[in-house]
């Protein structure tokens, strides 16, 4: 019998392995390139306000007057920054208790059909596009506020209400996951001591899952802070620091949406808008940092 | 107060608040359908919008949304699969892996408007692609890619370890195991996740205002040459999607029936997202059954 000549050392599966590995490395490299270029481009545009223009960082962040078209233009972004923070905090205040109750309902009160009922509800709420939320806000919440409360209906309250519905699914799903992953014996020992369900929930379950619930709330706030169109449609877009909840105001995102198309590239006005985009970007990093911090605490 | 009474009150409050959420969803969907369904007709779905007069439709916008979705998925699915498989199977725990994970997390939490602005700066102006479908698709890639990575990674991680070990025991190469052992098992989860992310892409507006543009040229649906400017298939033409159209009609619509158009278009958008949701479940189950010969999905 003839002996087959020995094959070369590089076999077919080596080549396959190599191609697969290079392709995956390319994909991962692309992610790194995307994020670096994003940070670089937005930062270089956003910082030009402070480098080339004669606007100081303090003037931009704490200036109360926004008058880019005036003879002596003023670029105080405080009205927008405060508007963004106000609607975000209000939305979190409204949505958090509702979400936590929903999560408790799914995992503690009726674990069987509660989950079957609420899971699809949460998924659908998360799936509804933001412009549809804006449309509903404009055609339901704004007229309702106008008829029942002082003011025009459009304003901070309407924005916060719309946002609170939008962030409900985020908080609920994170909180429900945390509650579901809680060790069973923790609850059982509490019941064995004779505690009622509410005592168990309020003194055992909530304190142990608190960091995880906070993670959900921070994620929801991150979403609310960056949401653009739904808020823009209902908040009224007046460039003032709001004095009451029923007054028209603006957020960073709403003013970018409205003005970006109407300004020319590289004008000071346009650059100021990019600085706001930079603020949004920095806030995203802050939210991600907070989430990481909370997750570290969450490891039991 | 007795602890038992407190417990009863607290329980009923929790149930009440949970049911409020259900009521919100039912109210939302009911309102959208009630307002919008009566306005949806074949004519509304196919005709072009009117600027000043009443009676415009959303035909080009609907087509743009679907076309943009297809373009985005063509770009993001292979890239997301690659990076996701790397994260699940190849990455060793360490500084670099931690950094990539952080990138995925940060990218997926960037506000969509920042993604849109980045697209405006880099894709539209710097690469000079202009307001076009391809710019929109590339911006949505930034938006959808981290999601795809996460979906793929989770799907691969949920594959039982024994499957991989069996492959190694047979002497298969790692790439062979990934493509012919793990991928088929992970595929149903990946497909479900992809369809759900498609729903998000379909409804996205803020990132597209600055990349795909806010206008649609006059489209000639008999012209199938992808290079002609009036062809619907040309990826280098500006394209207003359905979601952007809803926003535009609501904020600066001049047509007397703007509210009805917005209602109708919202209903179309929500129904499509509902279809995506149902399709995700259906296909996930179908493929799982096909590939694994088991009756139920875990």
């Amino acid at each position: 019998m003839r002996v087959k000549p020995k094959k070369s050392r590089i076999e077919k599966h080596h080549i396959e392995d190599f191609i697969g590995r290079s392709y995956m490395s390319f994909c991962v490299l692309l992610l790194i390139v995307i994020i670096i270029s994003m940070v670089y481009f937005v930062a270089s545009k956003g910082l030009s306000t402070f480098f080339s223009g004669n606007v100081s960082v303090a003037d931009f962040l704490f200036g109360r007057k926004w008058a880019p078209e005036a003879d002596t233009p003023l670029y105080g972004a405080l009205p927008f920054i405060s508007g963004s923070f106000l609607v975000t905090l209000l939305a979190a205040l409204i949505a958090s208790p509702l979400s936590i109750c929903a999560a408790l309902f799914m995992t503690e009160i009726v674990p069987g059909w509660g989950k079957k009922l609420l899971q699809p509800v949460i998924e659908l709420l998360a799936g509804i596009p933001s412009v549809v939320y804006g449309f509903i806000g404009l055609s339901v919440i704004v007229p309702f506020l106008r008829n029942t409360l002082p003011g025009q209906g459009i304003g901070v309250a309407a924005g916060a209400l719309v946002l609170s519905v939008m962030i409900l699914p985020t908080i609920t799903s994170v909180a429900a996951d945390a509650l579901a992953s809680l060790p069973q014996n923790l609850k059982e020992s509490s019941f064995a001591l004779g505690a009622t369900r509410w005592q168990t929930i309020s003194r055992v379950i909530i304190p142990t899952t608190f960091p995880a619930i906070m993670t959900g709330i921070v994620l929801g706030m991150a979403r609310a802070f960056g949401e653009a169109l739904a808020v823009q449609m209902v908040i009224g877009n007046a460039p003032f620091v709001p004095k009451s909840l029923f007054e028209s105001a603006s957020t960073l995102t709403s003013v970018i949406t409205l003005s970006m198309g109407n300004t020319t590239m590289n004008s000071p006005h346009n650059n100021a808008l990019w600085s706001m985009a930079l603020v949004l970007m920095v806030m995203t990093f802050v939210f991600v940092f907070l989430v990481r911090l909370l997750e570290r605490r969450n490891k039991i | 107060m007795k602890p038992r009474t407190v417990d009863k009150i607290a329980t009923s409050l929790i149930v009440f608040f949970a049911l409020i959420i259900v009521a919100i969803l039912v109210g939302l969907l009911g309102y959208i359908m009630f307002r919008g369904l009566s306005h949806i007709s074949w004519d509304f779905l196919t005709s072009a919008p009117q600027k000043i007069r009443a009676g415009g439709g959303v035909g080009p916008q609907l087509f743009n949304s679907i076309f943009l979705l297809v373009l985005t998925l063509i770009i993001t699915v292979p890239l997301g699969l690659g990076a996701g498989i790397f994260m699940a199977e190849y990455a060793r725990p360490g500084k670099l892996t931690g950094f990539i994970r952080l990138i995925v997390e940060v990218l997926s939490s960037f506000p969509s408007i920042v993604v849109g602005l980045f697209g405006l700066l880099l894709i539209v102006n710097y690469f000079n692609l202009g307001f076009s479908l391809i710019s929109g698709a590339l911006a949505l890639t930034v938006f959808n890619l981290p999601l795809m990575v996460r979906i793929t990674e989770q799907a691969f991680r949920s594959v039982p370890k024994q499957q991989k070990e069996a492959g190694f025991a047979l002497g298969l190469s790692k790439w062979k195991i990934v493509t012919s052992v793990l991928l088929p098992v992970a595929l149903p989860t990946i497909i479900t996740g992809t369809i759900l992310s498609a729903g998000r892409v379909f409804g996205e507006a803020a990132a597209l205002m600055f990349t795909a543009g806010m206008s649609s040229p006059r489209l000639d649906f008999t012209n199938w040459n992808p290079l002609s400017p009036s062809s619907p298939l040309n990826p280098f033409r500006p394209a207003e999607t359905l979601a952007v159209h809803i926003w535009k009609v609501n904020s600066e619509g001049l047509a007397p029936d703007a509210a009805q158009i917005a209602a109708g278009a919202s209903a179309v958008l929500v129904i499509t997202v509902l279809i995506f949701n149902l399709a995700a479940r259906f296909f996930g189950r179908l493929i799982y059954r096909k590939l694994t010969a088991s009756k139920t999905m875990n």
Side-chain angles (χ1 to χ4, degrees), chain A residues 12-14 16-17 19-21 23-28 30-32 34-39 41-42 44-45 97-102 104-105 109 113 117-136 138-140 165 168 172 196-199 201 219 222 225-230 232-233 252-254 256-258 260-261 265 273-274 277 280-281 284-285 288 291-292 295, chain B residues 3-4 6-8 10-11 13-15 17-22 24-25 28-29 31-32 35 77-83 85-87 90 92 96 98-107 109-115 117-118 120-122 125-126 141-142 145-146 149 173-176 196 199-200 202-206 209-210 214 242-244 246-247 250-251 259 262-264 266 269-270 273-274 277 281:
Chain A
K12 201 179 143 217
H13 71 260
H14 285 133
E16 268 179 15
D17 254 356
I19 295 174
R21 240 171 205 287
Y23 175 66
M24 283 185 301
S25 315
F26 164 76
C27 296
V28 171
L30 189 76
L31 279 174
I32 301 177
I34 289 177
I35 191 124
I36 290 176
S37 56
M38 261 184 105
V39 173
F41 276 100
V42 174
S44 67
K45 270 295 230 176
L98 276 173
S99 307
I100 294 169
C101 285
L104 287 170
F105 182 80
I109 312 263
W113 63 269
L117 173 76
L118 276 179
Q119 192 75 40
V121 168
I122 298 300
E123 276 171 24
L124 285 178
L125 277 179
I128 295 178
S130 64
V131 280
V132 175
Y133 279 113
F135 164 69
I136 304 253
L138 202 58
S139 48
V140 179
V165 181
L168 270 177
T172 309
T196 62
R197 183 158 58 193
W198 172 243
Q199 283 169 331
I201 289 174
L219 283 173
F225 201 83
E227 176 49 46
L229 302 185
Q232 187 272 327
M233 283 155 99
L252 292 166
T253 50
S254 75
I256 295 175
T257 329
L258 280 183
M260 193 53 99
M265 271 280 173
L273 294 176
W274 282 100
L280 280 175
M281 194 176 226
T284 311
F285 284 113
V288 170
V291 166
R292 295 228 143 187
E295 268 169 2
Chain B
R4 201 170 282 276
V6 179
D7 181 50
K8 281 222 174 90
T11 306
L13 270 180
I14 291 173
V15 173
F17 280 126
L19 292 180
I20 280 187
I21 295 186
V22 180
I24 288 176
L25 179 82
L28 275 172
L29 287 182
Y31 180 80
I32 296 168
R35 281 282 307 272
V77 169
L79 291 175
L81 272 177
I85 293 173
F86 181 84
M87 291 306 285
Y90 286 78
R92 288 189 196 86
L96 183 70
F99 179 62
I100 299 168
R101 196 146 295 174
L102 179 69
I103 287 180
V104 173
E105 200 175 321
V106 170
L107 268 184
S109 43
F110 269 140
S112 59
I113 188 167
V114 173
V115 174
L117 290 175
F118 168 69
L120 172 71
L121 204 56
L122 190 72
N125 289 337
Y126 191 77
T141 300
V142 178
L145 192 57
V149 174
S173 71
K174 182 140 194 186
W175 182 245
K176 196 81 191 159
L196 285 177
R200 273 189 66 187
F202 197 78
E204 177 53 41
M209 289 168 56
F210 303 120
M214 295 214 268
L242 201 57
V244 175
I246 295 174
W247 179 79
N250 266 317
S251 6
S266 300
L269 205 55
V270 170
V273 172
L274 283 179
N277 263 288
R281 273 161 222 273

Side-chain angles (χ1 to χ4, degrees), chain A residues 155-186:
Chain A
V156 179
L161 279 173
V162 169
L163 279 178
S164 65
V165 181
M166 294 181 69
I167 65 175
L168 270 177
T170 314
I171 309 180
T172 309
S173 50
V174 176
D177 282 349
L179 291 175
S181 65
L182 203 65
Q184 200 65 26
N185 48 17
L186 213 61

Side-chain angles (χ1 to χ4, degrees), chain B residues 185-261:
Chain B
V185 186
L187 203 60
T189 322
I190 295 176
I191 289 184
T192 314
T194 309
I195 300 178
L196 285 177
S197 82
R200 273 189 66 187
V201 169
F202 197 78
E204 177 53 41
L208 292 176
M209 289 168 56
F210 303 120
T211 49
M214 295 214 268
S215 63
S216 234
R218 196 165 282 281
L219 294 181
D220 177 8
F221 279 90
T222 54
N223 181 355
W224 294 105
N225 171 15
L227 295 173
S228 132
S230 72
S231 162
L233 288 180
N234 182 358
F236 297 101
R237 65 181 172 85
E240 181 191 42
T241 64
L242 201 57
V244 175
H245 188 64
I246 295 174
W247 179 79
K248 213 172 88 178
V249 163
N250 266 317
S251 6
E252 47 197 48
L254 293 173
D257 59 346
Q260 277 87 349
I261 292 175

Side-chain angles (χ1 to χ4, degrees), chain A residues 82-98:
Chain A
S82 61
S84 276
F85 274 102
L86 195 58
V87 285
T88 304
L89 286 173
L90 274 175
L93 274 180
I94 302 168
S96 305
L98 276 173

